[in-house]
Amino acid sequence: QVQLVESGGGLVQAGGSLRLSCAASGLTFSSYNMGWFRQAPGKEREFVAAISWRRGGSTYYRSSVKGRFTISRDNAKNMVYLQMNSLKPEDTAVYYCAADLSSSTSDYARAYDYWGQGTQVTVSS
């Protein structure tokens, strides 16, 4: 049974930082592209960042988080992380970890096979 469990969310002031973690189990983690998505109230789920399963772990970001967020993975621990710096109120959302077995990374939610339950990030102004 595949499980993705996010942690690390919380309340932070604008300009602050948070590090989200996602623990994966029940899958061959090193074979999966991993992504982070978010969903704010009343809005559609949107892509945040992804990291490839391939050697070197190429990374991809939505434009609004480039230079502020960093995605990384530790295949030995079956973990993926999202370091979020210089947070803004518009980053407030539930953040989801997702796993995708495709050969290449995607920013399309439907490409992902497994999802976590989400962790709330709230950025106050």
Side-chain angles (χ1 to χ4, degrees), residues 95-112:
Y95 283 70
Y96 297 90
C97 170
D100 165 27
L101 193 56
S102 303
S103 60
S104 58
T105 54
S106 175
D107 59 359
Y108 189 47
R110 291 189 177 184
Y112 288 78

